[in-house]
Amino acid sequence: MSGLSLFLVLFAAAILSSALTCLTLWLYYRQVVEPKLEQRIEIALEALGEKVGERVRTGVVDGFTDIAAGDTLRRTTEKVATSGAALVDEGLNVLLGKPRRKR
């Protein structure tokens, strides 16, 4: 076997090995990783949706109770900023798989 034919055989084996590895990883991703990832995303979206609804209801109630006060706008702005920051924090924690904090 000449040097060129040996090189071509080794090169073909390397290409075939790489193709099989890529195919195996792709199938593993599609069959195992993707369904689990979709499930985690659904759970995170449900948890985030519940939290957003709760915060919106609380904000509306607080807004109506604070209407009589003179500094309503300032307090509402602070509450919205605090709620928004908390929502982003909890959303990221849920998506990253960190445990949820109980309040």
Side-chain angles (χ1 to χ4, degrees):
M1 201 179 253
S2 71
L4 180 61
S5 61
L6 180 61
F7 172 76
L8 291 176
V9 168
L10 288 175
F11 185 73
I15 294 293
L16 182 61
S17 172
S18 297
L20 286 174
T21 301
C22 288
L23 179 64
T24 303
L25 289 175
W26 180 76
L27 286 173
Y28 178 78
Y29 173 79
R30 296 285 295 186
Q31 298 295 320
V32 177
V33 175
E34 189 175 34
K36 288 182 181 179
L37 187 61
E38 289 290 331
Q39 185 180 23
R40 275 189 82 171
I41 289 172
E42 281 298 318
I43 291 169
L45 287 176
E46 286 176 14
L48 191 59
E50 291 171 6
K51 191 57 80 173
V52 168
E54 179 184 318
R55 293 283 171 92
V56 167
R57 280 190 292 280
T58 303
V60 168
V61 169
D62 288 347
F64 279 117
T65 57
D66 287 346
I67 286 179
D71 58 337
T72 303
L73 183 60
R74 181 185 56 80
R75 286 193 301 191
T76 303
T77 304
E78 290 173 357
K79 285 181 182 180
V80 167
T82 303
S83 296
L87 281 173
V88 169
D89 182 44
E90 288 182 28
L92 288 175
N93 285 340
V94 168
L95 288 175
L96 296 175
K98 294 181 181 175
R100 293 173 64 184
R101 293 183 295 206
K102 299 294 180 187
R103 292 183 181 195

Coordinates of all heavy atoms in Angstrom, one line a residue:
M1 N 0.9 -1.2 0.0 CA 0.0 0.0 0.0 C 0.9 1.2 0.0 O 1.8 1.4 0.8 CB -0.9 0.0 1.2 CG -2.1 0.8 1.1 SD -3.2 0.8 2.6 CE -4.5 -0.2 2.0
S2 N 0.6 2.1 -0.9 CA 1.5 3.3 -1.0 C 1.1 4.3 0.0 O 0.1 4.2 0.7 CB 1.3 3.9 -2.4 OG 0.1 4.5 -2.6
G3 N 1.9 5.3 0.2 CA 1.7 6.3 1.2 C 0.4 7.1 0.9 O -0.3 7.5 1.9
L4 N 0.1 7.4 -0.3 CA -1.1 8.2 -0.7 C -2.4 7.4 -0.4 O -3.3 7.9 0.2 CB -1.1 8.6 -2.1 CG -2.3 9.4 -2.6 CD1 -2.4 10.7 -1.8 CD2 -2.2 9.6 -4.1
S5 N -2.4 6.1 -0.7 CA -3.6 5.3 -0.5 C -3.8 5.1 1.0 O -4.9 5.0 1.5 CB -3.5 3.9 -1.2 OG -2.4 3.2 -0.8
L6 N -2.7 4.9 1.8 CA -2.8 4.8 3.2 C -3.4 6.1 3.8 O -4.2 6.0 4.7 CB -1.4 4.5 3.8 CG -1.4 4.3 5.3 CD1 -2.3 3.1 5.8 CD2 0.1 4.1 5.8
F7 N -2.9 7.2 3.3 CA -3.4 8.5 3.8 C -4.9 8.6 3.5 O -5.7 9.0 4.4 CB -2.6 9.6 3.2 CG -3.2 11.0 3.4 CD1 -3.1 11.6 4.7 CD2 -4.0 11.6 2.5 CE1 -3.7 12.8 5.0 CE2 -4.6 12.8 2.8 CZ -4.4 13.5 4.0
L8 N -5.3 8.2 2.3 CA -6.7 8.3 1.9 C -7.6 7.4 2.8 O -8.7 7.8 3.2 CB -6.9 8.0 0.4 CG -6.3 9.1 -0.5 CD1 -6.5 8.6 -2.0 CD2 -7.0 10.4 -0.3
V9 N -7.1 6.2 3.1 CA -7.9 5.3 3.9 C -8.0 5.8 5.3 O -9.1 5.8 5.9 CB -7.2 3.9 3.9 CG1 -7.8 3.0 5.0 CG2 -7.3 3.2 2.6
L10 N -6.9 6.4 5.9 CA -7.0 7.0 7.2 C -7.9 8.2 7.2 O -8.7 8.4 8.2 CB -5.6 7.3 7.7 CG -4.7 6.2 8.1 CD1 -3.3 6.7 8.4 CD2 -5.3 5.4 9.2
F11 N -7.8 9.0 6.2 CA -8.7 10.2 6.1 C -10.1 9.8 6.0 O -11.0 10.4 6.6 CB -8.2 11.0 4.8 CG -8.9 12.3 4.7 CD1 -8.6 13.4 5.6 CD2 -9.9 12.5 3.8 CE1 -9.3 14.6 5.5 CE2 -10.6 13.7 3.7 CZ -10.3 14.8 4.5
A12 N -10.4 8.8 5.2 CA -11.8 8.4 5.0 C -12.3 7.8 6.4 O -13.5 8.1 6.7 CB -11.9 7.3 3.9
A13 N -11.5 7.1 7.1 CA -11.9 6.5 8.4 C -12.2 7.7 9.4 O -13.1 7.6 10.2 CB -10.8 5.6 8.9
A14 N -11.3 8.7 9.3 CA -11.5 9.9 10.2 C -12.8 10.6 9.9 O -13.6 11.0 10.8 CB -10.3 10.8 10.1
I15 N -13.1 10.8 8.6 CA -14.3 11.5 8.2 C -15.6 10.6 8.6 O -16.5 11.2 9.2 CB -14.3 11.7 6.7 CG1 -13.3 12.7 6.3 CG2 -15.7 12.2 6.2 CD1 -13.5 14.1 6.8
L16 N -15.5 9.3 8.4 CA -16.6 8.4 8.8 C -16.8 8.5 10.3 O -18.0 8.5 10.8 CB -16.3 7.0 8.3 CG -17.4 6.0 8.6 CD1 -18.7 6.4 7.9 CD2 -17.0 4.6 8.1
S17 N -15.7 8.4 11.0 CA -15.8 8.5 12.5 C -16.5 9.8 13.0 O -17.3 9.8 13.8 CB -14.5 8.3 13.1 OG -14.5 8.5 14.5
S18 N -16.1 10.9 12.4 CA -16.6 12.2 12.7 C -18.1 12.3 12.4 O -18.9 12.8 13.2 CB -15.9 13.3 12.0 OG -14.5 13.3 12.4
A19 N -18.5 11.7 11.2 CA -19.9 11.8 10.8 C -20.7 10.9 11.8 O -21.8 11.4 12.2 CB -20.0 11.3 9.4
L20 N -20.2 9.8 12.1 CA -21.0 8.9 13.1 C -21.1 9.6 14.4 O -22.2 9.5 15.1 CB -20.3 7.5 13.2 CG -20.5 6.6 12.0 CD1 -19.7 5.3 12.2 CD2 -22.0 6.3 11.8
T21 N -20.1 10.2 14.9 CA -20.1 10.9 16.2 C -21.1 12.1 16.1 O -21.9 12.2 17.1 CB -18.7 11.5 16.6 OG1 -17.8 10.4 16.6 CG2 -18.7 12.2 17.9
C22 N -21.1 12.8 15.1 CA -22.1 14.0 15.0 C -23.5 13.4 14.9 O -24.4 14.0 15.5 CB -21.7 14.8 13.7 SG -20.3 15.8 13.9
L23 N -23.7 12.4 14.1 CA -25.0 11.8 14.0 C -25.5 11.3 15.4 O -26.7 11.5 15.8 CB -25.0 10.7 13.0 CG -26.4 9.9 12.8 CD1 -27.4 10.9 12.2 CD2 -26.2 8.7 11.9
T24 N -24.6 10.6 16.1 CA -25.0 10.1 17.4 C -25.3 11.2 18.4 O -26.3 11.1 19.1 CB -23.8 9.2 18.0 OG1 -23.5 8.2 17.1 CG2 -24.2 8.6 19.4
L25 N -24.5 12.2 18.4 CA -24.8 13.4 19.3 C -26.1 14.1 18.9 O -26.9 14.5 19.8 CB -23.6 14.4 19.3 CG -22.4 13.9 20.0 CD1 -21.3 14.9 19.8 CD2 -22.6 13.7 21.5
W26 N -26.4 14.2 17.7 CA -27.6 14.9 17.2 C -28.8 14.0 17.6 O -29.8 14.6 18.1 CB -27.6 15.0 15.7 CG -28.8 15.7 15.2 CD1 -29.2 17.0 15.2 CD2 -29.9 15.0 14.5 NE1 -30.4 17.2 14.6 CE2 -30.9 16.0 14.2 CE3 -30.1 13.7 14.1 CZ2 -32.0 15.7 13.5 CZ3 -31.3 13.4 13.4 CH2 -32.2 14.4 13.2
L27 N -28.8 12.7 17.4 CA -29.9 11.9 17.9 C -30.1 11.9 19.4 O -31.2 11.9 19.9 CB -29.6 10.4 17.4 CG -29.8 10.1 15.9 CD1 -29.4 8.7 15.6 CD2 -31.2 10.4 15.5
Y28 N -29.0 11.9 20.1 CA -29.1 12.0 21.6 C -29.7 13.3 22.0 O -30.6 13.3 22.9 CB -27.7 11.9 22.2 CG -27.7 12.0 23.7 CD1 -28.1 11.0 24.5 CD2 -27.3 13.2 24.3 CE1 -28.1 11.1 25.9 CE2 -27.4 13.4 25.7 CZ -27.8 12.3 26.5 OH -27.8 12.4 27.9
Y29 N -29.3 14.4 21.4 CA -29.9 15.7 21.7 C -31.4 15.7 21.4 O -32.2 16.1 22.2 CB -29.2 16.8 20.9 CG -29.9 18.1 21.0 CD1 -29.7 18.9 22.1 CD2 -30.8 18.6 20.0 CE1 -30.4 20.1 22.3 CE2 -31.5 19.8 20.2 CZ -31.2 20.6 21.3 OH -31.9 21.8 21.5
R30 N -31.8 15.2 20.2 CA -33.2 15.2 19.8 C -34.1 14.3 20.7 O -35.2 14.6 21.0 CB -33.4 14.7 18.3 CG -32.7 15.7 17.3 CD -33.5 16.9 17.1 NE -34.8 16.5 16.6 CZ -35.7 17.4 16.1 NH1 -35.4 18.7 16.2 NH2 -36.8 17.0 15.6
Q31 N -33.5 13.1 21.1 CA -34.3 12.2 21.8 C -34.3 12.4 23.4 O -35.3 12.1 24.0 CB -33.8 10.7 21.5 CG -33.9 10.3 20.1 CD -35.4 10.2 19.7 OE1 -36.2 9.8 20.4 NE2 -35.7 10.7 18.5
V32 N -33.2 12.9 23.9 CA -33.1 13.0 25.4 C -33.1 14.5 25.8 O -33.8 14.9 26.7 CB -31.8 12.3 25.8 CG1 -31.6 12.4 27.3 CG2 -31.8 10.8 25.4
V33 N -32.2 15.3 25.3 CA -32.0 16.6 25.8 C -33.1 17.6 25.5 O -33.6 18.3 26.4 CB -30.6 17.2 25.3 CG1 -30.4 18.6 25.8 CG2 -29.5 16.3 25.8
E34 N -33.5 17.6 24.2 CA -34.6 18.5 23.8 C -35.9 18.3 24.6 O -36.5 19.3 25.0 CB -34.8 18.4 22.3 CG -35.7 19.5 21.8 CD -35.8 19.4 20.3 OE1 -35.8 18.3 19.7 OE2 -35.9 20.5 19.7
P35 N -36.4 17.1 24.8 CA -37.6 17.0 25.5 C -37.5 17.5 27.0 O -38.4 18.1 27.5 CB -38.0 15.5 25.5 CG -37.3 15.0 24.3 CD -36.0 15.8 24.2
K36 N -36.4 17.2 27.6 CA -36.2 17.6 29.0 C -36.1 19.2 29.0 O -36.6 19.8 30.0 CB -34.9 17.0 29.6 CG -35.1 15.5 29.9 CD -33.9 15.0 30.6 CE -34.0 13.5 30.8 NZ -32.9 12.9 31.4
L37 N -35.4 19.7 28.1 CA -35.3 21.2 28.0 C -36.6 21.8 27.8 O -37.0 22.8 28.4 CB -34.3 21.6 26.9 CG -33.9 23.0 26.8 CD1 -33.2 23.5 28.0 CD2 -33.0 23.2 25.6
E38 N -37.4 21.3 26.9 CA -38.8 21.8 26.6 C -39.6 21.8 27.9 O -40.4 22.7 28.2 CB -39.5 21.1 25.5 CG -38.9 21.3 24.2 CD -39.2 22.7 23.7 OE1 -40.3 23.3 24.0 OE2 -38.4 23.3 22.9
Q39 N -39.5 20.7 28.6 CA -40.3 20.5 29.9 C -39.9 21.5 30.9 O -40.7 22.1 31.6 CB -40.1 19.1 30.4 CG -40.9 18.8 31.6 CD -40.6 17.3 32.1 OE1 -39.6 16.8 31.9 NE2 -41.6 16.8 32.9
R40 N -38.6 21.7 31.1 CA -38.1 22.8 32.0 C -38.5 24.2 31.6 O -38.9 25.0 32.5 CB -36.6 22.7 32.1 CG -36.0 21.7 33.1 CD -34.6 21.9 33.3 NE -34.3 22.9 34.2 CZ -33.1 23.2 34.7 NH1 -32.1 22.5 34.3 NH2 -33.0 24.1 35.6
I41 N -38.5 24.5 30.4 CA -39.0 25.8 29.9 C -40.5 26.0 30.2 O -40.9 27.0 30.7 CB -38.7 26.0 28.4 CG1 -37.2 26.1 28.2 CG2 -39.4 27.2 27.8 CD1 -36.7 26.1 26.8
E42 N -41.3 24.9 29.9 CA -42.7 25.0 30.2 C -43.0 25.2 31.7 O -43.8 26.1 32.1 CB -43.4 23.7 29.8 CG -43.7 23.7 28.3 CD -44.6 24.8 27.9 OE1 -45.6 25.1 28.6 OE2 -44.4 25.3 26.8
I43 N -42.2 24.5 32.6 CA -42.4 24.7 34.0 C -42.0 26.1 34.4 O -42.7 26.7 35.2 CB -41.6 23.6 34.8 CG1 -42.2 22.2 34.6 CG2 -41.5 23.9 36.3 CD1 -41.3 21.1 35.1
A44 N -40.9 26.6 33.9 CA -40.4 27.9 34.2 C -41.5 29.0 33.8 O -41.7 29.9 34.5 CB -39.1 28.2 33.6
L45 N -42.0 28.8 32.6 CA -43.0 29.8 32.1 C -44.3 29.7 32.9 O -44.9 30.8 33.2 CB -43.3 29.5 30.6 CG -42.3 29.8 29.6 CD1 -42.7 29.4 28.2 CD2 -42.0 31.3 29.7
E46 N -44.7 28.6 33.4 CA -45.9 28.5 34.2 C -45.6 29.2 35.6 O -46.5 29.9 36.0 CB -46.3 27.0 34.5 CG -46.9 26.4 33.3 CD -47.2 24.9 33.5 OE1 -47.1 24.4 34.6 OE2 -47.4 24.2 32.5
A47 N -44.5 28.9 36.2 CA -44.1 29.5 37.4 C -44.0 31.0 37.3 O -44.5 31.8 38.1 CB -42.8 29.0 38.0
L48 N -43.4 31.5 36.2 CA -43.3 32.9 36.0 C -44.6 33.6 35.7 O -44.9 34.7 36.2 CB -42.3 33.1 34.8 CG -41.8 34.6 34.6 CD1 -41.1 35.1 35.8 CD2 -40.9 34.6 33.3
G49 N -45.5 32.9 35.0 CA -46.8 33.4 34.7 C -47.7 33.6 36.0 O -48.3 34.6 36.2
E50 N -47.6 32.6 36.9 CA -48.3 32.7 38.1 C -47.8 33.8 38.9 O -48.5 34.6 39.5 CB -48.1 31.4 38.9 CG -48.8 30.2 38.3 CD -48.5 28.9 39.0 OE1 -47.7 28.9 40.0 OE2 -48.9 27.8 38.5
K51 N -46.5 34.0 39.0 CA -45.9 35.1 39.8 C -46.2 36.4 39.2 O -46.5 37.4 40.0 CB -44.3 34.9 39.8 CG -43.6 35.8 40.8 CD -44.1 35.6 42.2 CE -43.6 34.4 42.9 NZ -43.9 34.3 44.3
V52 N -46.2 36.6 37.9 CA -46.6 37.8 37.3 C -48.0 38.2 37.6 O -48.3 39.3 37.9 CB -46.3 37.8 35.7 CG1 -47.0 39.0 35.0 CG2 -44.8 37.7 35.4
G53 N -48.9 37.2 37.5 CA -50.3 37.5 37.8 C -50.5 37.9 39.2 O -51.3 38.9 39.5
E54 N -49.8 37.3 40.1 CA -49.9 37.6 41.5 C -49.4 39.0 41.8 O -50.0 39.8 42.5 CB -49.1 36.6 42.3 CG -49.1 36.9 43.8 CD -48.2 35.9 44.5 OE1 -48.2 34.7 44.2 OE2 -47.4 36.4 45.4
R55 N -48.3 39.4 41.2 CA -47.7 40.7 41.3 C -48.6 41.8 40.7 O -48.7 42.9 41.3 CB -46.3 40.8 40.7 CG -45.3 39.9 41.4 CD -44.8 40.6 42.7 NE -44.0 39.7 43.5 CZ -42.7 39.6 43.5 NH1 -42.0 40.4 42.7 NH2 -42.1 38.8 44.3
V56 N -49.2 41.5 39.6 CA -50.1 42.5 38.9 C -51.3 42.7 39.8 O -51.7 43.9 40.0 CB -50.5 42.0 37.5 CG1 -51.6 42.9 37.0 CG2 -49.3 42.1 36.6
R57 N -51.9 41.7 40.3 CA -53.0 41.9 41.2 C -52.7 42.7 42.4 O -53.4 43.6 42.8 CB -53.6 40.5 41.6 CG -54.5 39.8 40.6 CD -55.2 38.6 41.1 NE -54.3 37.5 41.4 CZ -53.8 36.7 40.6 NH1 -54.1 36.8 39.3 NH2 -53.0 35.7 40.9
T58 N -51.5 42.3 43.0 CA -51.1 43.1 44.2 C -50.8 44.5 43.9 O -51.2 45.4 44.6 CB -49.8 42.4 44.8 OG1 -50.0 41.1 45.1 CG2 -49.3 43.1 46.0
G59 N -50.2 44.8 42.7 CA -49.9 46.2 42.3 C -51.2 47.0 42.1 O -51.3 48.1 42.5
V60 N -52.2 46.3 41.5 CA -53.4 47.1 41.2 C -54.1 47.4 42.5 O -54.6 48.5 42.7 CB -54.4 46.2 40.3 CG1 -55.8 46.8 40.2 CG2 -53.8 46.1 38.9
V61 N -54.2 46.4 43.4 CA -54.8 46.7 44.7 C -54.1 47.7 45.5 O -54.7 48.7 46.0 CB -54.9 45.3 45.6 CG1 -55.3 45.6 47.0 CG2 -55.8 44.4 44.9
D62 N -52.8 47.7 45.5 CA -52.0 48.7 46.2 C -52.2 50.1 45.5 O -52.2 51.1 46.2 CB -50.5 48.3 46.2 CG -50.2 47.2 47.1 OD1 -51.0 46.8 48.0 OD2 -49.0 46.7 47.0
G63 N -52.3 50.1 44.2 CA -52.5 51.3 43.5 C -53.8 52.0 43.9 O -53.8 53.2 44.1
F64 N -54.8 51.2 44.0 CA -56.1 51.8 44.3 C -56.2 52.2 45.8 O -56.8 53.2 46.1 CB -57.3 50.8 44.1 CG -57.7 50.8 42.6 CD1 -57.5 49.6 41.9 CD2 -58.2 51.9 42.1 CE1 -57.9 49.6 40.5 CE2 -58.7 51.9 40.7 CZ -58.5 50.7 40.0
T65 N -55.5 51.5 46.7 CA -55.5 51.9 48.1 C -54.6 53.1 48.3 O -54.8 53.9 49.2 CB -55.0 50.8 49.0 OG1 -53.7 50.3 48.6 CG2 -55.9 49.6 48.9
D66 N -53.6 53.4 47.4 CA -52.7 54.5 47.6 C -53.2 55.8 46.8 O -52.5 56.8 46.9 CB -51.3 54.2 47.1 CG -50.6 53.2 48.0 OD1 -51.1 53.1 49.2 OD2 -49.6 52.6 47.6
I67 N -54.3 55.7 46.1 CA -54.8 56.8 45.3 C -55.0 58.1 46.2 O -54.7 59.2 45.8 CB -56.1 56.5 44.5 CG1 -55.7 55.6 43.4 CG2 -56.8 57.7 44.1 CD1 -56.9 55.1 42.6
A68 N -55.5 57.9 47.4 CA -55.8 59.0 48.3 C -54.5 59.8 48.7 O -54.6 60.9 49.1 CB -56.6 58.6 49.5
A69 N -53.4 59.1 48.7 CA -52.1 59.7 49.2 C -51.6 60.7 48.2 O -51.8 60.6 47.0 CB -51.1 58.6 49.5
G70 N -50.9 61.7 48.7 CA -50.3 62.8 47.8 C -49.1 62.3 47.0 O -48.9 62.8 45.9
D71 N -48.4 61.4 47.5 CA -47.1 60.9 46.8 C -47.4 59.6 46.1 O -46.5 58.7 46.1 CB -46.0 60.9 47.8 CG -46.2 60.0 48.9 OD1 -47.4 59.7 49.3 OD2 -45.2 59.5 49.5
T72 N -48.6 59.4 45.6 CA -48.9 58.1 45.0 C -48.0 57.8 43.8 O -47.6 56.6 43.7 CB -50.4 58.2 44.5 OG1 -51.2 58.5 45.6 CG2 -50.8 56.9 43.9
L73 N -47.7 58.8 43.0 CA -46.9 58.5 41.8 C -45.5 58.0 42.2 O -45.0 57.0 41.6 CB -46.8 59.8 40.9 CG -46.0 59.6 39.6 CD1 -46.7 58.5 38.8 CD2 -46.0 60.9 38.9
R74 N -44.9 58.6 43.2 CA -43.6 58.2 43.6 C -43.6 56.8 44.2 O -42.8 56.0 43.8 CB -43.0 59.2 44.7 CG -41.6 58.8 45.1 CD -41.1 59.7 46.3 NE -42.0 59.7 47.4 CZ -42.0 58.7 48.4 NH1 -41.2 57.7 48.2 NH2 -42.8 58.8 49.4
R75 N -44.6 56.5 45.0 CA -44.6 55.2 45.6 C -45.0 54.1 44.6 O -44.4 53.0 44.6 CB -45.6 55.2 46.8 CG -45.1 55.9 48.0 CD -45.9 55.6 49.2 NE -47.3 56.1 49.0 CZ -48.2 56.2 49.9 NH1 -47.9 55.9 51.1 NH2 -49.4 56.6 49.6
T76 N -45.9 54.5 43.7 CA -46.2 53.5 42.6 C -45.0 53.2 41.7 O -44.8 52.0 41.4 CB -47.4 54.1 41.8 OG1 -48.5 54.3 42.6 CG2 -47.8 53.1 40.7
T77 N -44.2 54.2 41.4 CA -43.0 54.0 40.6 C -42.0 53.1 41.4 O -41.4 52.2 40.8 CB -42.4 55.4 40.3 OG1 -43.3 56.2 39.6 CG2 -41.2 55.2 39.4
E78 N -41.9 53.4 42.6 CA -41.0 52.5 43.4 C -41.5 51.1 43.5 O -40.7 50.1 43.4 CB -40.9 53.1 44.9 CG -40.1 54.4 45.0 CD -40.1 55.0 46.4 OE1 -40.8 54.4 47.2 OE2 -39.5 56.0 46.5
K79 N -42.8 50.9 43.7 CA -43.3 49.6 43.7 C -43.2 48.8 42.4 O -42.8 47.7 42.3 CB -44.8 49.6 44.1 CG -45.0 49.9 45.6 CD -46.5 49.9 45.9 CE -46.6 50.2 47.4 NZ -48.0 50.2 47.8
V80 N -43.4 49.5 41.3 CA -43.2 49.0 40.0 C -41.8 48.6 39.7 O -41.5 47.5 39.2 CB -43.8 49.9 38.9 CG1 -43.3 49.4 37.5 CG2 -45.3 50.0 38.9
A81 N -40.9 49.4 40.1 CA -39.4 49.1 39.9 C -39.0 47.9 40.8 O -38.3 47.0 40.3 CB -38.6 50.4 40.3
T82 N -39.5 47.9 42.0 CA -39.2 46.8 42.9 C -39.8 45.5 42.4 O -39.1 44.5 42.3 CB -39.7 47.1 44.3 OG1 -39.1 48.3 44.8 CG2 -39.3 46.0 45.3
S83 N -41.0 45.5 42.0 CA -41.7 44.4 41.4 C -41.0 43.9 40.2 O -40.8 42.7 40.0 CB -43.2 44.6 41.2 OG -43.8 44.9 42.4
G84 N -40.7 44.8 39.3 CA -40.0 44.4 38.0 C -38.7 43.8 38.3 O -38.3 42.8 37.7
A85 N -37.9 44.3 39.2 CA -36.6 43.8 39.5 C -36.7 42.4 40.1 O -36.0 41.4 39.8 CB -35.8 44.7 40.5
A86 N -37.7 42.2 41.0 CA -38.0 40.9 41.6 C -38.4 39.9 40.6 O -38.0 38.7 40.6 CB -39.0 41.0 42.7
L87 N -39.3 40.3 39.6 CA -39.7 39.4 38.6 C -38.6 38.9 37.7 O -38.5 37.8 37.4 CB -40.8 40.1 37.7 CG -42.2 40.1 38.3 CD1 -43.1 41.0 37.4 CD2 -42.7 38.8 38.5
V88 N -37.7 39.8 37.3 CA -36.6 39.5 36.5 C -35.7 38.5 37.3 O -35.2 37.5 36.8 CB -35.8 40.7 36.1 CG1 -34.4 40.4 35.5 CG2 -36.6 41.6 35.1
D89 N -35.4 38.8 38.6 CA -34.6 38.0 39.4 C -35.2 36.6 39.5 O -34.5 35.6 39.3 CB -34.4 38.6 40.8 CG -33.5 37.8 41.7 OD1 -32.5 37.3 41.2 OD2 -33.9 37.6 42.9
E90 N -36.5 36.5 39.8 CA -37.1 35.2 40.0 C -37.2 34.4 38.6 O -37.0 33.2 38.6 CB -38.5 35.3 40.6 CG -38.5 35.7 42.0 CD -39.8 35.8 42.6 OE1 -40.8 35.2 42.2 OE2 -40.0 36.6 43.6
G91 N -37.4 35.2 37.6 CA -37.5 34.5 36.2 C -36.2 33.9 35.9 O -36.1 32.8 35.4
L92 N -35.1 34.7 36.1 CA -33.8 34.1 35.8 C -33.4 32.9 36.7 O -32.9 32.0 36.3 CB -32.7 35.2 36.0 CG -32.7 36.3 34.9 CD1 -31.7 37.4 35.3 CD2 -32.4 35.7 33.6
N93 N -33.8 33.0 38.0 CA -33.6 31.9 38.9 C -34.3 30.7 38.4 O -33.8 29.5 38.5 CB -34.0 32.3 40.3 CG -33.0 33.2 41.0 OD1 -31.9 33.3 40.6 ND2 -33.4 33.9 42.0
V94 N -35.6 30.8 38.0 CA -36.3 29.7 37.5 C -35.7 29.1 36.3 O -35.5 27.9 36.1 CB -37.8 30.1 37.3 CG1 -38.6 29.0 36.5 CG2 -38.5 30.4 38.6
L95 N -35.3 30.0 35.3 CA -34.7 29.5 34.1 C -33.4 28.8 34.3 O -33.0 27.9 33.6 CB -34.6 30.6 33.0 CG -35.9 31.1 32.5 CD1 -35.7 32.3 31.6 CD2 -36.6 30.0 31.7
L96 N -32.6 29.3 35.3 CA -31.3 28.8 35.5 C -31.3 27.6 36.5 O -30.3 27.0 36.8 CB -30.4 29.8 36.1 CG -30.1 31.0 35.1 CD1 -29.2 32.1 35.8 CD2 -29.4 30.5 33.9
G97 N -32.5 27.3 37.0 CA -32.7 26.1 37.8 C -32.3 26.3 39.3 O -32.1 25.4 40.0
K98 N -32.2 27.6 39.7 CA -31.9 27.8 41.1 C -33.2 27.7 41.9 O -34.3 27.9 41.4 CB -31.4 29.3 41.3 CG -30.0 29.4 40.6 CD -29.5 30.8 40.8 CE -28.2 31.0 40.1 NZ -27.7 32.4 40.2
P99 N -33.0 27.3 43.2 CA -34.3 27.1 44.0 C -35.0 28.4 44.2 O -34.4 29.5 44.3 CB -33.7 26.5 45.3 CG -32.3 26.8 45.3 CD -31.8 27.0 43.9
R100 N -36.3 28.3 44.3 CA -37.1 29.5 44.5 C -37.1 29.9 45.9 O -37.1 29.1 46.8 CB -38.6 29.3 44.1 CG -38.7 29.0 42.6 CD -40.0 28.6 42.1 NE -41.0 29.6 42.4 CZ -42.3 29.5 42.2 NH1 -42.8 28.4 41.8 NH2 -43.1 30.5 42.5
R101 N -37.1 31.2 46.2 CA -37.1 31.8 47.5 C -38.6 31.9 47.9 O -39.4 32.4 47.2 CB -36.4 33.1 47.6 CG -34.9 33.0 47.4 CD -34.3 34.3 47.6 NE -34.8 35.2 46.5 CZ -34.2 36.3 46.1 NH1 -33.0 36.6 46.6 NH2 -34.7 37.0 45.1
K102 N -38.9 31.5 49.2 CA -40.2 31.7 49.7 C -40.3 33.0 50.4 O -39.3 33.4 51.2 CB -40.6 30.6 50.7 CG -40.6 29.2 50.0 CD -41.7 29.1 49.0 CE -41.7 27.8 48.4 NZ -42.6 27.6 47.3
R103 N -41.4 33.8 50.3 CA -41.5 35.1 50.9 C -42.6 35.0 51.9 O -43.5 34.3 51.8 CB -41.8 36.2 49.9 CG -40.5 36.4 49.1 CD -40.8 37.5 48.2 NE -39.6 37.7 47.4 CZ -39.3 38.7 46.7 NH1 -40.1 39.7 46.6 NH2 -38.2 38.8 46.0

